[in-house]
mmCIF file of all heavy atoms in Angstrom:
data_model
loop_
_atom_site.group_PDB
_atom_site.id
_atom_site.type_symbol
_atom_site.label_atom_id
_atom_site.label_comp_id
_atom_site.label_asym_id
_atom_site.label_seq_id
_atom_site.Cartn_x
_atom_site.Cartn_y
_atom_site.Cartn_z
ATOM 1 N N MET A 123 26.012 22.569 -1.498
ATOM 2 C CA MET A 123 25.091 22.570 -0.370
ATOM 3 C C MET A 123 25.252 23.862 0.392
ATOM 4 O O MET A 123 26.322 24.462 0.413
ATOM 5 C CB MET A 123 25.355 21.368 0.533
ATOM 6 C CG MET A 123 25.130 20.031 -0.162
ATOM 7 S SD MET A 123 25.394 18.636 0.931
ATOM 8 C CE MET A 123 23.968 18.802 1.978
ATOM 9 N N ALA A 124 24.173 24.231 1.084
ATOM 10 C CA ALA A 124 24.167 25.475 1.838
ATOM 11 C C ALA A 124 24.695 25.242 3.290
ATOM 12 O O ALA A 124 24.055 25.553 4.262
ATOM 13 C CB ALA A 124 22.759 26.092 1.891
ATOM 14 N N ILE A 125 25.892 24.640 3.332
ATOM 15 C CA ILE A 125 26.513 24.379 4.625
ATOM 16 C C ILE A 125 27.994 24.806 4.463
ATOM 17 O O ILE A 125 28.586 24.604 3.429
ATOM 18 C CB ILE A 125 26.544 22.850 4.961
ATOM 19 C CG1 ILE A 125 25.121 22.343 5.134
ATOM 20 C CG2 ILE A 125 27.342 22.575 6.196
ATOM 21 C CD1 ILE A 125 25.056 20.848 5.306
ATOM 22 N N ASP A 126 28.516 25.406 5.513
ATOM 23 C CA ASP A 126 29.954 25.704 5.498
ATOM 24 C C ASP A 126 30.696 24.456 5.915
ATOM 25 O O ASP A 126 30.757 24.130 7.104
ATOM 26 C CB ASP A 126 30.259 26.895 6.431
ATOM 27 C CG ASP A 126 31.693 27.359 6.326
ATOM 28 O OD1 ASP A 126 32.536 26.629 5.738
ATOM 29 O OD2 ASP A 126 31.974 28.426 6.868
ATOM 30 N N PHE A 127 31.224 23.711 4.979
ATOM 31 C CA PHE A 127 31.900 22.439 5.245
ATOM 32 C C PHE A 127 33.331 22.623 5.726
ATOM 33 O O PHE A 127 34.023 21.623 5.932
ATOM 34 C CB PHE A 127 31.888 21.546 3.994
ATOM 35 C CG PHE A 127 30.657 20.798 3.753
ATOM 36 C CD1 PHE A 127 29.721 21.232 2.831
ATOM 37 C CD2 PHE A 127 30.365 19.648 4.456
ATOM 38 C CE1 PHE A 127 28.537 20.503 2.597
ATOM 39 C CE2 PHE A 127 29.215 18.900 4.247
ATOM 40 C CZ PHE A 127 28.300 19.373 3.305
ATOM 41 N N HIS A 128 33.763 23.854 5.867
ATOM 42 C CA HIS A 128 35.183 24.074 6.298
ATOM 43 C C HIS A 128 35.455 23.270 7.576
ATOM 44 O O HIS A 128 34.639 23.203 8.479
ATOM 45 C CB HIS A 128 35.446 25.550 6.504
ATOM 46 C CG HIS A 128 36.905 25.869 6.725
ATOM 47 N ND1 HIS A 128 37.496 25.714 7.942
ATOM 48 C CD2 HIS A 128 37.846 26.283 5.844
ATOM 49 C CE1 HIS A 128 38.768 26.070 7.835
ATOM 50 N NE2 HIS A 128 39.002 26.414 6.543
ATOM 51 N N ASP A 129 36.638 22.727 7.658
ATOM 52 C CA ASP A 129 37.047 21.901 8.798
ATOM 53 C C ASP A 129 36.880 22.590 10.152
ATOM 54 O O ASP A 129 36.628 21.928 11.163
ATOM 55 C CB ASP A 129 38.496 21.415 8.659
ATOM 56 C CG ASP A 129 38.663 20.418 7.503
ATOM 57 O OD1 ASP A 129 37.678 19.895 7.029
ATOM 58 O OD2 ASP A 129 39.817 20.225 7.108
ATOM 59 N N GLN A 130 37.017 23.896 10.180
ATOM 60 C CA GLN A 130 36.896 24.619 11.454
ATOM 61 C C GLN A 130 35.455 24.922 11.797
ATOM 62 O O GLN A 130 35.166 25.354 12.914
ATOM 63 C CB GLN A 130 37.689 25.922 11.387
ATOM 64 C CG GLN A 130 39.179 25.726 11.161
ATOM 65 C CD GLN A 130 39.802 24.895 12.297
ATOM 66 O OE1 GLN A 130 39.543 25.110 13.465
ATOM 67 N NE2 GLN A 130 40.643 23.924 11.937
ATOM 68 N N VAL A 131 34.529 24.709 10.862
ATOM 69 C CA VAL A 131 33.117 25.030 11.116
ATOM 70 C C VAL A 131 32.262 23.759 11.261
ATOM 71 O O VAL A 131 31.567 23.581 12.240
ATOM 72 C CB VAL A 131 32.556 25.920 9.953
ATOM 73 C CG1 VAL A 131 31.099 26.229 10.180
ATOM 74 C CG2 VAL A 131 33.373 27.200 9.862
ATOM 75 N N PHE A 132 32.327 22.884 10.266
ATOM 76 C CA PHE A 132 31.571 21.626 10.312
ATOM 77 C C PHE A 132 32.534 20.539 10.722
ATOM 78 O O PHE A 132 33.161 19.889 9.906
ATOM 79 C CB PHE A 132 30.958 21.346 8.916
ATOM 80 C CG PHE A 132 29.796 20.405 8.928
ATOM 81 C CD1 PHE A 132 28.601 20.740 9.545
ATOM 82 C CD2 PHE A 132 29.891 19.176 8.325
ATOM 83 C CE1 PHE A 132 27.514 19.891 9.536
ATOM 84 C CE2 PHE A 132 28.827 18.268 8.337
ATOM 85 C CZ PHE A 132 27.620 18.637 8.936
ATOM 86 N N LYS A 133 32.678 20.360 12.012
ATOM 87 C CA LYS A 133 33.695 19.501 12.604
ATOM 88 C C LYS A 133 33.223 18.062 12.668
ATOM 89 O O LYS A 133 32.049 17.784 12.553
ATOM 90 C CB LYS A 133 34.018 19.990 14.007
ATOM 91 C CG LYS A 133 34.602 21.398 14.014
ATOM 92 C CD LYS A 133 34.847 21.901 15.412
ATOM 93 C CE LYS A 133 35.470 23.281 15.324
ATOM 94 N NZ LYS A 133 34.998 24.180 16.306
ATOM 95 N N PRO A 134 34.141 17.120 12.860
ATOM 96 C CA PRO A 134 33.753 15.745 13.039
ATOM 97 C C PRO A 134 32.635 15.582 14.100
ATOM 98 O O PRO A 134 32.726 16.176 15.174
ATOM 99 C CB PRO A 134 35.038 15.050 13.527
ATOM 100 C CG PRO A 134 36.121 15.869 12.851
ATOM 101 C CD PRO A 134 35.601 17.283 12.934
ATOM 102 N N GLY A 135 31.579 14.873 13.724
ATOM 103 C CA GLY A 135 30.454 14.673 14.588
ATOM 104 C C GLY A 135 29.360 15.697 14.451
ATOM 105 O O GLY A 135 28.254 15.553 14.975
ATOM 106 N N ASP A 136 29.567 16.782 13.652
ATOM 107 C CA ASP A 136 28.545 17.793 13.455
ATOM 108 C C ASP A 136 27.475 17.273 12.516
ATOM 109 O O ASP A 136 27.744 16.444 11.635
ATOM 110 C CB ASP A 136 29.140 19.070 12.885
ATOM 111 C CG ASP A 136 29.763 19.964 13.951
ATOM 112 O OD1 ASP A 136 29.672 19.623 15.154
ATOM 113 O OD2 ASP A 136 30.376 20.973 13.596
ATOM 114 N N VAL A 137 26.250 17.726 12.717
ATOM 115 C CA VAL A 137 25.071 17.296 11.951
ATOM 116 C C VAL A 137 24.362 18.528 11.395
ATOM 117 O O VAL A 137 24.304 19.566 12.068
ATOM 118 C CB VAL A 137 24.085 16.530 12.877
ATOM 119 C CG1 VAL A 137 22.801 16.177 12.167
ATOM 120 C CG2 VAL A 137 24.734 15.288 13.446
ATOM 121 N N ALA A 138 23.760 18.397 10.234
ATOM 122 C CA ALA A 138 22.930 19.440 9.669
ATOM 123 C C ALA A 138 21.727 18.782 8.987
ATOM 124 O O ALA A 138 21.845 17.728 8.386
ATOM 125 C CB ALA A 138 23.696 20.266 8.639
ATOM 126 N N ILE A 139 20.582 19.438 9.143
ATOM 127 C CA ILE A 139 19.372 19.048 8.393
ATOM 128 C C ILE A 139 19.237 20.112 7.339
ATOM 129 O O ILE A 139 19.046 21.275 7.670
ATOM 130 C CB ILE A 139 18.155 18.952 9.337
ATOM 131 C CG1 ILE A 139 18.411 17.908 10.440
ATOM 132 C CG2 ILE A 139 16.892 18.618 8.546
ATOM 133 C CD1 ILE A 139 17.339 17.868 11.530
ATOM 134 N N THR A 140 19.265 19.700 6.073
ATOM 135 C CA THR A 140 19.337 20.662 4.995
ATOM 136 C C THR A 140 18.772 20.090 3.713
ATOM 137 O O THR A 140 18.104 19.081 3.742
ATOM 138 C CB THR A 140 20.830 21.151 4.825
ATOM 139 O OG1 THR A 140 20.840 22.262 3.912
ATOM 140 C CG2 THR A 140 21.716 20.040 4.360
ATOM 141 N N HIS A 141 19.105 20.759 2.614
ATOM 142 C CA HIS A 141 18.683 20.280 1.296
ATOM 143 C C HIS A 141 19.905 20.102 0.407
ATOM 144 O O HIS A 141 20.879 20.850 0.502
ATOM 145 C CB HIS A 141 17.744 21.316 0.608
ATOM 146 C CG HIS A 141 16.431 21.370 1.291
ATOM 147 N ND1 HIS A 141 16.166 22.227 2.304
ATOM 148 C CD2 HIS A 141 15.292 20.639 1.056
ATOM 149 C CE1 HIS A 141 14.919 22.050 2.696
ATOM 150 N NE2 HIS A 141 14.362 21.115 1.962
ATOM 151 N N ALA A 142 19.829 19.108 -0.447
ATOM 152 C CA ALA A 142 20.807 18.881 -1.488
ATOM 153 C C ALA A 142 20.017 18.690 -2.763
ATOM 154 O O ALA A 142 19.202 17.765 -2.859
ATOM 155 C CB ALA A 142 21.658 17.650 -1.177
ATOM 156 N N SER A 143 20.199 19.599 -3.697
ATOM 157 C CA SER A 143 19.441 19.538 -4.952
ATOM 158 C C SER A 143 17.925 19.469 -4.693
ATOM 159 O O SER A 143 17.226 18.690 -5.266
ATOM 160 C CB SER A 143 19.890 18.359 -5.796
ATOM 161 O OG SER A 143 19.263 18.343 -7.055
ATOM 162 N N HIS A 144 17.440 20.276 -3.795
ATOM 163 C CA HIS A 144 16.039 20.409 -3.433
ATOM 164 C C HIS A 144 15.472 19.145 -2.718
ATOM 165 O O HIS A 144 14.277 18.976 -2.614
ATOM 166 C CB HIS A 144 15.166 20.740 -4.637
ATOM 167 C CG HIS A 144 15.628 21.982 -5.338
ATOM 168 N ND1 HIS A 144 15.522 23.199 -4.792
ATOM 169 C CD2 HIS A 144 16.231 22.138 -6.531
ATOM 170 C CE1 HIS A 144 16.029 24.088 -5.624
ATOM 171 N NE2 HIS A 144 16.482 23.475 -6.689
ATOM 172 N N LEU A 145 16.364 18.291 -2.236
ATOM 173 C CA LEU A 145 15.943 17.056 -1.517
ATOM 174 C C LEU A 145 16.362 17.196 -0.074
ATOM 175 O O LEU A 145 17.522 17.491 0.229
ATOM 176 C CB LEU A 145 16.628 15.850 -2.155
ATOM 177 C CG LEU A 145 16.353 15.630 -3.648
ATOM 178 C CD1 LEU A 145 17.249 14.565 -4.184
ATOM 179 C CD2 LEU A 145 14.882 15.316 -3.894
ATOM 180 N N GLY A 146 15.448 16.951 0.828
ATOM 181 C CA GLY A 146 15.759 17.014 2.272
ATOM 182 C C GLY A 146 16.679 15.913 2.686
ATOM 183 O O GLY A 146 16.456 14.736 2.356
ATOM 184 N N VAL A 147 17.719 16.258 3.423
ATOM 185 C CA VAL A 147 18.690 15.277 3.925
ATOM 186 C C VAL A 147 19.163 15.634 5.328
ATOM 187 O O VAL A 147 19.073 16.801 5.726
ATOM 188 C CB VAL A 147 19.936 15.121 3.011
ATOM 189 C CG1 VAL A 147 19.594 14.620 1.643
ATOM 190 C CG2 VAL A 147 20.698 16.426 2.925
ATOM 191 N N ILE A 148 19.611 14.619 6.015
ATOM 192 C CA ILE A 148 20.372 14.830 7.236
ATOM 193 C C ILE A 148 21.783 14.442 6.872
ATOM 194 O O ILE A 148 22.013 13.373 6.298
ATOM 195 C CB ILE A 148 19.899 13.950 8.382
ATOM 196 C CG1 ILE A 148 18.425 14.204 8.729
ATOM 197 C CG2 ILE A 148 20.751 14.186 9.645
ATOM 198 C CD1 ILE A 148 17.859 13.248 9.771
ATOM 199 N N VAL A 149 22.738 15.326 7.134
ATOM 200 C CA VAL A 149 24.151 15.039 6.804
ATOM 201 C C VAL A 149 24.966 15.199 8.093
ATOM 202 O O VAL A 149 24.677 16.082 8.890
ATOM 203 C CB VAL A 149 24.705 15.966 5.707
ATOM 204 C CG1 VAL A 149 24.569 17.426 6.045
ATOM 205 C CG2 VAL A 149 26.141 15.633 5.377
ATOM 206 N N TRP A 150 25.897 14.297 8.294
ATOM 207 C CA TRP A 150 26.794 14.422 9.411
ATOM 208 C C TRP A 150 28.223 14.070 8.960
ATOM 209 O O TRP A 150 28.430 13.280 8.062
ATOM 210 C CB TRP A 150 26.379 13.580 10.613
ATOM 211 C CG TRP A 150 26.223 12.091 10.368
ATOM 212 C CD1 TRP A 150 27.166 11.132 10.495
ATOM 213 C CD2 TRP A 150 25.020 11.433 9.942
ATOM 214 N NE1 TRP A 150 26.637 9.909 10.196
ATOM 215 C CE2 TRP A 150 25.320 10.055 9.858
ATOM 216 C CE3 TRP A 150 23.740 11.862 9.627
ATOM 217 C CZ2 TRP A 150 24.361 9.114 9.463
ATOM 218 C CZ3 TRP A 150 22.807 10.908 9.243
ATOM 219 C CH2 TRP A 150 23.131 9.570 9.183
ATOM 220 N N ARG A 151 29.129 14.746 9.627
ATOM 221 C CA ARG A 151 30.546 14.432 9.384
ATOM 222 C C ARG A 151 30.878 13.232 10.254
ATOM 223 O O ARG A 151 30.562 13.218 11.446
ATOM 224 C CB ARG A 151 31.437 15.634 9.732
ATOM 225 C CG ARG A 151 32.826 15.421 9.240
ATOM 226 C CD ARG A 151 33.556 16.713 9.062
ATOM 227 N NE ARG A 151 34.828 16.501 8.447
ATOM 228 C CZ ARG A 151 35.736 17.418 8.387
ATOM 229 N NH1 ARG A 151 35.518 18.628 8.885
ATOM 230 N NH2 ARG A 151 36.880 17.140 7.807
ATOM 231 N N LEU A 152 31.529 12.267 9.676
ATOM 232 C CA LEU A 152 31.887 11.070 10.454
ATOM 233 C C LEU A 152 32.726 11.473 11.653
ATOM 234 O O LEU A 152 33.562 12.404 11.564
ATOM 235 C CB LEU A 152 32.638 10.086 9.598
ATOM 236 C CG LEU A 152 31.844 9.493 8.423
ATOM 237 C CD1 LEU A 152 32.739 8.673 7.504
ATOM 238 C CD2 LEU A 152 30.664 8.709 8.942
ATOM 239 N N PRO A 153 32.538 10.832 12.789
ATOM 240 C CA PRO A 153 33.299 11.184 13.976
ATOM 241 C C PRO A 153 34.797 11.158 13.803
ATOM 242 O O PRO A 153 35.504 11.906 14.471
ATOM 243 C CB PRO A 153 32.814 10.189 15.036
ATOM 244 C CG PRO A 153 31.398 9.896 14.597
ATOM 245 C CD PRO A 153 31.464 9.871 13.089
ATOM 246 N N ASP A 154 35.291 10.340 12.857
ATOM 247 C CA ASP A 154 36.733 10.309 12.622
ATOM 248 C C ASP A 154 37.181 11.441 11.664
ATOM 249 O O ASP A 154 38.357 11.611 11.369
ATOM 250 C CB ASP A 154 37.204 8.980 12.111
ATOM 251 C CG ASP A 154 36.661 8.589 10.743
ATOM 252 O OD1 ASP A 154 36.025 9.456 10.068
ATOM 253 O OD2 ASP A 154 36.876 7.456 10.333
ATOM 254 N N GLY A 155 36.212 12.197 11.141
ATOM 255 C CA GLY A 155 36.485 13.343 10.254
ATOM 256 C C GLY A 155 36.851 12.953 8.839
ATOM 257 O O GLY A 155 37.158 13.827 8.041
ATOM 258 N N LYS A 156 36.783 11.691 8.473
ATOM 259 C CA LYS A 156 37.263 11.258 7.162
ATOM 260 C C LYS A 156 36.176 11.171 6.074
ATOM 261 O O LYS A 156 36.422 10.626 5.009
ATOM 262 C CB LYS A 156 37.947 9.883 7.280
ATOM 263 C CG LYS A 156 39.214 9.962 8.139
ATOM 264 C CD LYS A 156 39.874 8.625 8.201
ATOM 265 C CE LYS A 156 41.152 8.726 9.043
ATOM 266 N NZ LYS A 156 41.785 7.447 9.236
ATOM 267 N N GLY A 157 34.998 11.689 6.357
ATOM 268 C CA GLY A 157 33.963 11.642 5.348
ATOM 269 C C GLY A 157 32.622 12.114 5.930
ATOM 270 O O GLY A 157 32.561 12.666 7.035
ATOM 271 N N TYR A 158 31.579 11.851 5.167
ATOM 272 C CA TYR A 158 30.232 12.320 5.505
ATOM 273 C C TYR A 158 29.234 11.199 5.247
ATOM 274 O O TYR A 158 29.445 10.339 4.382
ATOM 275 C CB TYR A 158 29.845 13.516 4.646
ATOM 276 C CG TYR A 158 30.802 14.677 4.810
ATOM 277 C CD1 TYR A 158 31.939 14.763 4.020
ATOM 278 C CD2 TYR A 158 30.589 15.653 5.764
ATOM 279 C CE1 TYR A 158 32.824 15.824 4.172
ATOM 280 C CE2 TYR A 158 31.463 16.702 5.947
ATOM 281 C CZ TYR A 158 32.594 16.764 5.126
ATOM 282 O OH TYR A 158 33.466 17.795 5.303
ATOM 283 N N GLU A 159 28.140 11.228 5.985
ATOM 284 C CA GLU A 159 27.009 10.348 5.705
ATOM 285 C C GLU A 159 25.794 11.224 5.516
ATOM 286 O O GLU A 159 25.615 12.233 6.164
ATOM 287 C CB GLU A 159 26.793 9.302 6.794
ATOM 288 C CG GLU A 159 27.837 8.218 6.739
ATOM 289 C CD GLU A 159 27.615 7.047 7.657
ATOM 290 O OE1 GLU A 159 27.012 7.258 8.764
ATOM 291 O OE2 GLU A 159 28.020 5.947 7.307
ATOM 292 N N PHE A 160 24.948 10.762 4.580
ATOM 293 C CA PHE A 160 23.712 11.430 4.257
ATOM 294 C C PHE A 160 22.557 10.454 4.426
ATOM 295 O O PHE A 160 22.617 9.336 3.886
ATOM 296 C CB PHE A 160 23.706 11.868 2.784
ATOM 297 C CG PHE A 160 24.741 12.898 2.451
ATOM 298 C CD1 PHE A 160 26.040 12.527 2.164
ATOM 299 C CD2 PHE A 160 24.419 14.226 2.426
ATOM 300 C CE1 PHE A 160 26.997 13.483 1.834
ATOM 301 C CE2 PHE A 160 25.361 15.215 2.088
ATOM 302 C CZ PHE A 160 26.655 14.812 1.803
ATOM 303 N N ALA A 161 21.481 10.819 5.101
ATOM 304 C CA ALA A 161 20.296 10.054 5.198
ATOM 305 C C ALA A 161 19.189 10.790 4.413
ATOM 306 O O ALA A 161 18.962 11.981 4.673
ATOM 307 C CB ALA A 161 19.870 9.831 6.658
ATOM 308 N N CYS A 162 18.605 10.104 3.495
ATOM 309 C CA CYS A 162 17.511 10.725 2.717
ATOM 310 C C CYS A 162 16.344 9.775 2.630
ATOM 311 O O CYS A 162 16.510 8.566 2.850
ATOM 312 C CB CYS A 162 18.000 11.168 1.319
ATOM 313 S SG CYS A 162 18.313 9.844 0.183
ATOM 314 N N ALA A 163 15.193 10.316 2.254
ATOM 315 C CA ALA A 163 14.020 9.471 2.059
ATOM 316 C C ALA A 163 14.261 8.498 0.919
ATOM 317 O O ALA A 163 14.824 8.893 -0.100
ATOM 318 C CB ALA A 163 12.780 10.354 1.791
ATOM 319 N N ARG A 164 13.844 7.282 1.110
ATOM 320 C CA ARG A 164 14.045 6.228 0.068
ATOM 321 C C ARG A 164 13.388 6.656 -1.245
ATOM 322 O O ARG A 164 13.907 6.359 -2.329
ATOM 323 C CB ARG A 164 13.508 4.906 0.549
ATOM 324 C CG ARG A 164 13.833 3.740 -0.371
ATOM 325 C CD ARG A 164 13.508 2.405 0.237
ATOM 326 N NE ARG A 164 14.336 2.091 1.419
ATOM 327 C CZ ARG A 164 15.582 1.622 1.381
ATOM 328 N NH1 ARG A 164 16.169 1.421 0.218
ATOM 329 N NH2 ARG A 164 16.223 1.352 2.474
ATOM 330 N N THR A 165 12.273 7.352 -1.181
ATOM 331 C CA THR A 165 11.550 7.789 -2.431
ATOM 332 C C THR A 165 12.426 8.714 -3.269
ATOM 333 O O THR A 165 12.211 8.856 -4.469
ATOM 334 C CB THR A 165 10.195 8.419 -2.097
ATOM 335 O OG1 THR A 165 10.408 9.498 -1.186
ATOM 336 C CG2 THR A 165 9.234 7.416 -1.521
ATOM 337 N N TYR A 166 13.407 9.395 -2.632
ATOM 338 C CA TYR A 166 14.270 10.333 -3.349
ATOM 339 C C TYR A 166 15.676 9.759 -3.537
ATOM 340 O O TYR A 166 16.551 10.483 -4.010
ATOM 341 C CB TYR A 166 14.386 11.658 -2.595
ATOM 342 C CG TYR A 166 13.078 12.330 -2.316
ATOM 343 C CD1 TYR A 166 12.702 12.697 -1.060
ATOM 344 C CD2 TYR A 166 12.196 12.587 -3.375
ATOM 345 C CE1 TYR A 166 11.493 13.320 -0.790
ATOM 346 C CE2 TYR A 166 10.974 13.218 -3.148
ATOM 347 C CZ TYR A 166 10.627 13.548 -1.865
ATOM 348 O OH TYR A 166 9.432 14.179 -1.636
ATOM 349 N N ALA A 167 15.901 8.525 -3.187
ATOM 350 C CA ALA A 167 17.260 7.947 -3.210
ATOM 351 C C ALA A 167 17.890 7.991 -4.595
ATOM 352 O O ALA A 167 19.078 8.265 -4.700
ATOM 353 C CB ALA A 167 17.250 6.547 -2.648
ATOM 354 N N VAL A 168 17.153 7.693 -5.626
ATOM 355 C CA VAL A 168 17.710 7.690 -6.957
ATOM 356 C C VAL A 168 18.118 9.094 -7.367
ATOM 357 O O VAL A 168 19.262 9.347 -7.823
ATOM 358 C CB VAL A 168 16.758 7.080 -8.011
ATOM 359 C CG1 VAL A 168 17.278 7.284 -9.423
ATOM 360 C CG2 VAL A 168 16.551 5.596 -7.706
ATOM 361 N N ALA A 169 17.243 10.067 -7.135
ATOM 362 C CA ALA A 169 17.561 11.457 -7.477
ATOM 363 C C ALA A 169 18.751 11.971 -6.638
ATOM 364 O O ALA A 169 19.648 12.652 -7.172
ATOM 365 C CB ALA A 169 16.353 12.328 -7.281
ATOM 366 N N PHE A 170 18.753 11.634 -5.358
ATOM 367 C CA PHE A 170 19.883 12.079 -4.514
ATOM 368 C C PHE A 170 21.173 11.427 -4.942
ATOM 369 O O PHE A 170 22.211 12.070 -5.054
ATOM 370 C CB PHE A 170 19.604 11.773 -3.022
ATOM 371 C CG PHE A 170 20.758 12.169 -2.153
ATOM 372 C CD1 PHE A 170 20.960 13.502 -1.857
ATOM 373 C CD2 PHE A 170 21.601 11.241 -1.668
ATOM 374 C CE1 PHE A 170 22.014 13.906 -1.091
ATOM 375 C CE2 PHE A 170 22.704 11.611 -0.882
ATOM 376 C CZ PHE A 170 22.907 12.964 -0.572
ATOM 377 N N SER A 171 21.106 10.132 -5.258
ATOM 378 C CA SER A 171 22.302 9.412 -5.713
ATOM 379 C C SER A 171 22.848 10.023 -6.990
ATOM 380 O O SER A 171 24.059 10.209 -7.142
ATOM 381 C CB SER A 171 21.962 7.938 -5.918
ATOM 382 O OG SER A 171 23.058 7.240 -6.454
ATOM 383 N N GLU A 172 21.964 10.371 -7.912
ATOM 384 C CA GLU A 172 22.419 10.994 -9.151
ATOM 385 C C GLU A 172 23.112 12.340 -8.874
ATOM 386 O O GLU A 172 24.134 12.642 -9.448
ATOM 387 C CB GLU A 172 21.228 11.169 -10.143
ATOM 388 C CG GLU A 172 20.758 9.859 -10.722
ATOM 389 C CD GLU A 172 19.480 9.987 -11.512
ATOM 390 O OE1 GLU A 172 18.856 11.089 -11.527
ATOM 391 O OE2 GLU A 172 19.047 8.991 -12.121
#
Side-chain angles (χ1 to χ4, degrees):
M123 298 182 71
I125 297 174
D126 187 346
F127 278 102
H128 189 278
D129 291 344
Q130 298 300 315
V131 178
F132 200 67
K133 298 177 178 141
D136 279 355
V137 175
I139 299 173
T140 188
H141 290 91
S143 184
H144 305 291
L145 304 169
V147 296
I148 301 174
V149 57
W150 57 92
R151 190 158 188 191
L152 296 173
D154 65 8
K156 295 182 180 176
Y158 301 88
E159 285 188 328
F160 295 84
C162 72
R164 188 169 295 279
T165 54
Y166 303 126
V168 171
F170 178 75
S171 175
E172 288 171 355

